[in-house]
Amino acid sequence: MRGPGSYEVGQTVPVGRSGTVEWVHRYTAAIANLGDDAIDVRLGGLYALQCIMEDSPRDHPTLVNVLSAYVRTHADAPLGKDESIPTDVEAALTILTTRDPVHDGGVRGDLSDAHLPDVALMDAGVAHGARLAGANLSGVDLKGAVLGGAD
């Protein structure tokens, strides 16, 4: 007979903010993947964060901050001639722009000082209220983007 607080191996154990140890493992594994040298591993980490965002709306503020920081730190220098935005940065932007901002809890995507020339931010959810000060957005397609409250 098990008492309160006893769990079987492999059983999901309730903890903290999002409800399960599984969430913590998913989140830490995804974050660890973002620092990998291999693009496919970083992409896996980004898409894992997207899955967490879809599964846990209450964690949108944290994930918006993480994804925004990822974009800023990986698009922090001007691109050379004939260079394009890295695939992982495009993926992070796609995740930010396709999320449901209703769950953001007032957090604003912060792409300040990011170099994002020629990206497509059409119908961008990230643009509403976003911090864009110092961002290089030359040639960006903003058709349908909502920029209310952006700076």
Side-chain angles (χ1 to χ4, degrees):
M1 177 173 232
R2 288 189 217 353
S6 298
Y7 297 95
E8 293 181 29
V9 174
Q11 182 178 355
T12 301
V13 182
V15 296
R17 9 177 310 180
S18 290
T20 65
V21 168
E22 177 188 1
W23 181 93
V24 174
H25 290 298
R26 288 173 62 198
Y27 179 77
T28 55
I31 294 298
N33 285 351
L34 297 183
D36 200 277
D37 290 335
I39 185 83
D40 55 332
V41 175
R42 290 193 309 274
L43 285 169
L46 289 165
Y47 292 127
L49 290 177
Q50 181 180 31
C51 289
I52 293 168
M53 186 178 276
E54 291 168 358
D55 292 345
S56 181
R58 69 185 288 178
D59 293 306
H60 273 215
T62 299
L63 297 170
V64 167
N65 284 329
V66 168
L67 292 166
S68 295
Y70 188 87
V71 170
R72 287 192 317 274
T73 58
H74 288 84
D76 61 343
L79 297 174
K81 185 179 180 189
D82 298 326
E83 279 187 306
S84 58
I85 302 235
T87 305
D88 53 339
V89 172
E90 288 249 19
L93 282 169
T94 298
I95 295 165
L96 282 168
T97 60
T98 58
R99 75 184 193 285
D100 182 355
V102 163
H103 305 293
D104 290 352
V107 169
R108 298 167 52 192
D110 184 355
L111 303 179
S112 57
D113 297 316
H115 294 271
L116 304 169
D118 301 315
V119 298
L121 293 177
M122 297 179 298
D123 303 316
V126 71
H128 181 72
R131 291 184 184 98
L132 300 171
N136 175 356
L137 300 174
S138 59
V140 171
D141 186 350
L142 294 169
K143 287 182 195 130
V146 179
L147 297 171
D151 62 12

